[in-house]
Amino acid sequence: KAGVTQTPRYLIKTRGQQVTLSCSPISGHRSVSWYQQTPGQGLQFLFEYFSETQRNKGNFPGRFSGRQFSNSRSEMNVSTLELGDSALYLCASSALAGANTEAFFGQGTRLTVV
Amino acid sequence: DAKTTQPPSMDCAEGRAANLPCNHSTISGNEYVYWYRQIHSQGPQYIIHGLKNNETNEMASLIITEDRKSSTLILPHATLRDTAVYYCIVRVGMMGNQFYFGTGTSLTVIP
């Protein structure tokens, strides 16, 4: 069974540009959540989608957005990139909703903003 | 969300059991305890989770105290590949799959 796939693995963008990252969850999983990891702030929750609806959102500016498609694949977009957006972006998928369901993470997309 | 407290770092000799503690004194009755680990720059890996009973799987055991205010993750025979940052997370909510990670414990397994 394939795991969570994130593309691309590495990305370099210029300040002010926008970027789209992709996440394909484990087959059959309907929940996808996104996280940002930086050395200074650690792992922080961005948002979560379930059946194409955003259910939860972390404390990030509106430049960070996402969506989920009918096949459960998800994309996140960051507009007007800032140097501080350089981070490892992680996607996790879960089969079900609720607190008794483990999430499985992808390997992440390493974004560098120059 | 209930906060967790973990020691910032620990060492363990290869082949010995690694016991990683976690305090979650404000945990509520419907909140689960999850453990993940992250090997440098990889995605976090699920290890185990539980509500109030002790749990065991092929990777580890989770011991939760009776009052649920603390727990211990046990890796029975640590190997060099177990060197990683271990996160203890208290997860809330009947809806939503978000995790709130703390700073974790950096475990170093020593040959």
Side-chain angles (χ1 to χ4, degrees):
Chain A
K1 195 173 186 181
V4 179
T5 304
Q6 292 188 244
T7 56
R9 290 293 312 278
Y10 302 92
L11 205 49
I12 299 175
K13 288 287 189 179
T14 303
R15 195 170 42 179
Q17 287 186 314
Q18 66 94 27
V19 68
T20 299
L21 312 181
S22 179
C23 172
S24 293
I26 293 171
S27 178
H29 284 194
R30 297 166 63 190
S31 169
V32 173
S33 51
W34 289 88
Y35 296 80
Q36 181 197 64
Q37 186 172 28
T38 60
Q41 299 298 319
L43 266 158
Q44 294 186 286
F45 170 73
L46 276 158
F47 31 66
E48 185 229 352
Y49 289 86
F50 186 87
S51 294
E52 302 179 66
T53 300
Q54 185 182 92
R55 290 196 303 186
N56 295 285
K57 191 175 191 304
N59 189 25
F60 278 83
R63 300 185 298 107
F64 292 81
S65 62
R67 60 178 175 168
Q68 186 180 33
F69 302 95
S70 58
N71 62 358
S72 294
R73 189 177 70 86
S74 178
E75 290 180 346
M76 69 163 282
N77 184 278
V78 188
S79 62
T80 320
L81 284 165
E82 301 176 358
L83 296 179
D85 297 332
S86 295
L88 180 67
Y89 289 88
L90 292 155
C91 161
S93 79
S94 300
L96 302 169
N100 190 21
T101 304
E102 59 267 37
F104 299 93
F105 284 79
Q107 292 304 297
T109 294
R110 172 75 62 184
L111 172 65
T112 302
V113 182
V114 298
Chain B
D1 298 312
K3 295 281 193 271
T4 61
T5 304
Q6 299 178 253
S9 64
M10 291 181 63
D11 293 337
C12 177
E14 188 177 18
R16 304 297 293 269
N19 296 282
L20 291 90
C22 179
N23 286 321
H24 30 78
S25 58
T26 59
I27 194 169
S28 298
N30 64 345
E31 293 175 338
Y32 284 78
V33 179
Y34 277 75
W35 284 84
Y36 279 78
R37 71 182 183 184
Q38 187 175 27
I39 296 169
H40 182 64
S41 292
Q42 297 182 20
Q45 177 188 23
Y46 167 77
I47 301 173
I48 199 166
H49 75 283
L51 184 62
K52 53 185 175 181
N53 298 319
N54 297 338
E55 302 287 344
T56 295
N57 62 21
E58 64 278 4
M59 287 183 68
S61 294
L62 173 60
I63 309 297
I64 302 174
T65 58
E66 194 169 340
D67 63 6
R68 302 209 325 119
K69 293 183 184 302
S70 66
S71 60
T72 300
L73 178 75
I74 301 172
L75 307 178
H77 305 286
T79 71
L80 299 179
R81 286 193 301 270
D82 293 322
T83 293
V85 177
Y86 287 76
Y87 296 98
C88 169
I89 303 160
V90 171
R91 189 176 181 198
V92 304
M94 299 307 295
M95 296 293 290
N97 284 319
Q98 67 273 31
F99 290 89
Y100 293 95
F101 288 80
T103 53
T105 295
S106 178
L107 175 69
T108 301
V109 179
I110 301 168

